[in-house]
Amino acid sequence: MALRARLAAPQPAPRKDWPFHQAKWVSLSASTLFLGDRRFEADSYLATAYGVRVAMEGRKQGWSRLGKLARVWQPSRLKGIQVSRGFGTPFLAATQVLDLRPSPRKFLSLDRTNDAENRFVTPGLILVTCSGNVGRATLAYRPLDGVLISHDLLRVTPLKAENWGWIYAFLRSPTCQAIMTAAQYGHVIKHLEVSHLEALPVPSVGDEQMVAFNRDAADILNKRNAAQDLIQEAETIFDKELGTISPKDNEAGYSIRASSMMTGRRRLEANYHHPQAAAILSRLKKLNLKTEPLHDVAERIWWLTRFKRVFGDEGMPYMSADELFSLNPTISKKVMAEQADCTEDYLVKAGWIVMACSGQTYGLNGSVSLAGKWHENFFFSHDIVRIIPKTARIRPGYLFAVLGHPRFGRPLIIRHAYGTSIPHLDPGDVATIPIVRFAEAVEDQIADRMERAVVLRAEADELENSIAAKADQIIDEFLHGSKSDCGLPSR
């Protein structure tokens, strides 16, 4: 029989073996599916943390449910009326609470916000994310005072004050975070419920350990509050030298001279001519204050090209812009550094200024951070502008204060953003930002406070990681039948 001519090669025979991965599977007793939440998703039982939890709950004594040690609660879903800044109470979403510098973008009418009194948080209250990236625990500190907080954060209040530090350390431990992640539900957006936290098995600890955990948790809180106070003091000194800056025009609508668009970069976007930025430049000119463009006080200002990121267990810890500006984030990704050209350019040194150069103008874009010794261990994203200060001409702490000042540096930075869907900042534009210069004694006062604040934040993060590691060790010893298998009765 004749064969018809083919325009394409015949399809290869199907492979009998699956070449990409092996499916995970496990057999369970049917009765397991009818306990607790009656979960039918395979992920709930295939996670390693599920086995750890079962092993903990299998011990006859030495542990208790979190619901017996603390009140876990959640405000009702928020229904509020948004108003302008001058008339409303600031509101923070769950992700904003975890920012290094929480900055409210929405303001709500307090009278029209249901259950408003339960949406404020007290210092030291334990907060746990329950939507999206679930299981991240943090302590409420000074920037959250007087701010309405999203219902997407579970509140954990110990029934006895002496359990506060241990409960927080337990919730911060990698093992507990893995257990919470295994308990999440949802397809696109993951969720945790109050009942999930209440059911967590918490090993018992001795009185001396509880005192130590309480002391360390209080130290973490005090260091972060002290860092915030120092930043406020530095910005107060700056404001006193510069004076009050009030834009003449309303940002809702304003006019400019056509000649202002015919020089330099010839920017036609309205944001570049924003009244706040115009008022700052006018103030500098009126007071005849000395200014220097950023490129004159920096040795180098640059960003890096995009590259294909390949992650692997043997790589370097990878920090994105989102993690850089988060409060002590959990770094889980490791990137294979050998794949990138000029690998050393992706690293940073203590004393450098790093700036987010992509994202929304009301979000992280234009945010700055002063790198410390801790940051030298990470491979950084290409979406960050690196700035090396000339330390002989300007102190890094002062430059950090100027660029990060919410009413001076940030408006001058963000006006240069270009693009619609994802605005970007170009290092060439960043290099032209004017840096106002004061007397050396004033700049030293500002720099001392900002640099000390960065150190305090790093110390708080290090201590927080330390108590989380200690909590993980206690869980491990409990699972292996150490002497900590005693104390509170189970369940």
Side-chain angles (χ1 to χ4, degrees):
M1 184 178 71
L3 293 176
R4 181 178 297 178
R6 296 176 181 268
L7 297 178
Q11 292 292 327
R15 295 183 59 165
K16 295 182 179 180
D17 58 319
W18 182 253
F20 303 109
H21 65 269
Q22 295 294 326
K24 294 182 180 180
W25 66 275
V26 67
S27 60
L28 295 170
S29 172
S31 60
T32 305
L33 303 177
F34 296 98
L35 298 174
D37 287 341
R38 302 185 179 185
R39 304 290 291 271
F40 285 83
E41 314 100 294
D43 284 348
S44 299
Y45 305 99
L46 290 171
T48 303
Y50 173 75
V52 174
R53 178 173 184 161
V54 170
M56 292 175 68
E57 294 174 339
R59 306 303 297 271
K60 294 182 178 180
Q61 60 180 4
W63 63 278
S64 182
R65 301 285 182 191
L66 180 59
K68 287 197 171 185
L69 301 177
R71 177 191 172 215
V72 183
W73 58 285
Q74 180 183 26
S76 59
R77 183 173 292 277
L78 180 63
K79 295 180 180 179
I81 303 297
Q82 188 171 340
V83 295
S84 60
R85 179 184 294 268
F87 298 94
T89 302
F91 166 79
L92 289 175
T95 52
Q96 292 175 285
V97 169
L98 296 169
D99 287 345
L100 267 181
R101 184 164 189 158
S103 179
R105 303 168 197 162
K106 294 181 179 180
F107 297 82
L108 305 180
S109 170
L110 197 59
D111 295 336
R112 294 297 189 91
T113 302
N114 63 313
D115 195 26
E117 63 277 4
N118 284 325
R119 302 189 191 280
F120 296 103
V121 297
T122 54
L125 179 65
I126 301 173
L127 304 172
V128 182
T129 57
C130 61
S131 180
N133 187 4
V134 304
R136 293 182 63 185
T138 190
L139 293 174
Y141 69 122
R142 195 150 295 152
L144 307 184
D145 290 348
V147 179
L148 294 167
I149 303 300
S150 169
H151 63 275
D152 283 328
L153 285 166
L154 299 180
R155 279 72 163 169
V156 181
T157 307
L159 300 180
K160 295 182 179 180
E162 56 266 27
N163 289 328
W164 172 62
W166 163 235
I167 289 175
Y168 182 60
F170 172 76
L171 291 172
R172 286 287 307 184
S173 67
T175 298
C176 181
Q177 290 184 4
I179 292 175
M180 288 189 282
T181 301
Q184 68 187 9
Y185 70 93
H187 180 58
V188 177
I189 300 176
K190 307 299 183 182
H191 290 278
L192 275 180
E193 300 289 345
V194 169
S195 59
H196 296 145
L197 256 67
E198 289 179 332
L200 290 175
V202 184
S204 306
V205 296
D207 292 340
E208 291 185 4
Q209 288 175 306
M210 281 198 294
V211 170
F213 280 117
N214 262 8
R215 183 184 62 246
D216 289 343
D219 201 13
I220 293 168
L221 189 60
N222 291 336
K223 287 179 183 294
R224 286 183 177 155
N225 283 333
Q228 181 65 23
D229 290 343
L230 288 168
I231 292 172
Q232 292 295 332
E233 289 177 15
E235 291 179 354
T236 299
I237 296 171
F238 186 94
D239 290 338
K240 185 178 179 181
E241 293 293 321
L242 192 61
T244 304
I245 300 176
S246 301
K248 295 180 180 180
D249 298 318
N250 191 314
E251 64 178 9
Y254 49 91
S255 61
I256 61 169
R257 295 179 65 86
S259 59
S260 64
M261 296 187 292
M262 301 304 171
T263 59
R265 295 269 279 176
R266 300 186 180 183
R267 301 290 291 267
L268 302 183
E269 316 99 289
N271 190 61
Y272 182 79
H273 308 277
H274 194 281
Q276 180 66 22
I280 294 170
L281 297 174
S282 176
R283 181 75 175 180
L284 294 175
K285 185 176 181 180
K286 180 179 179 181
L287 297 181
N288 198 25
L289 291 171
K290 179 184 177 183
T291 62
E292 295 180 285
L294 180 58
H295 59 74
D296 280 357
V297 295
E299 293 182 8
R300 188 182 179 195
I301 304 169
W302 81 105
W303 62 5
L304 296 156
T305 57
R306 187 180 298 274
F307 71 100
K308 184 178 181 181
R309 287 161 288 188
V310 178
F311 298 101
D313 293 338
E314 303 301 321
M316 286 187 66
Y318 175 78
M319 183 174 286
S320 66
D322 182 59
E323 292 164 334
L324 174 62
F325 297 102
S326 292
L327 194 65
N328 196 16
T330 300
I331 307 299
S332 57
K333 291 183 178 179
K334 292 185 177 181
V335 68
M336 307 304 291
E338 298 82 3
Q339 65 186 303
D341 296 331
C342 301
T343 302
E344 62 278 2
D345 280 347
Y346 290 86
L347 311 180
V348 302
K349 298 291 184 182
W352 290 11
I353 307 293
V354 285
M355 176 188 296
C357 60
S358 69
Q360 301 307 315
T361 55
Y362 55 78
L364 290 181
N365 200 354
S367 299
V368 292
S369 180
L370 178 60
K373 282 289 183 182
W374 179 69
H375 292 104
E376 295 182 354
N377 301 318
F378 294 93
F379 188 98
F380 277 79
S381 166
H382 64 277
D383 279 331
I384 293 172
V385 173
R386 281 79 165 163
I387 303 170
I388 305 178
K390 292 180 179 177
T391 53
R393 295 191 60 173
I394 193 168
R395 285 184 59 176
Y398 177 70
L399 182 57
F400 173 45
V402 174
L403 293 174
H405 195 289
R407 294 172 299 281
F408 179 84
R410 180 163 180 79
L412 294 179
I413 292 173
I414 212 64
R415 69 192 288 253
H416 291 285
Y418 63 92
T420 53
S421 298
I422 304 178
H424 280 74
L425 289 168
D426 189 278
D429 291 330
V430 172
T432 65
I433 294 169
I435 306 300
V436 62
R437 305 309 302 266
F438 299 129
E440 184 177 353
V442 174
E443 291 188 3
D444 284 343
Q445 290 178 19
I446 295 173
D448 288 342
R449 285 163 173 77
M450 296 300 288
E451 291 169 7
R452 177 59 183 160
V454 171
V455 171
L456 285 174
R457 278 177 173 174
E459 289 177 353
D461 290 352
E462 185 177 357
L463 185 55
E464 193 170 60
N465 294 336
S466 175
I467 65 171
K470 290 177 183 177
D472 228 33
Q473 184 178 358
I474 289 173
I475 295 171
D476 187 64
E477 291 174 352
F478 172 71
L479 289 171
H480 288 83
S482 73
K483 60 182 180 181
S484 53
D485 185 10
C486 59
L488 293 174
S490 63
R491 294 176 173 78

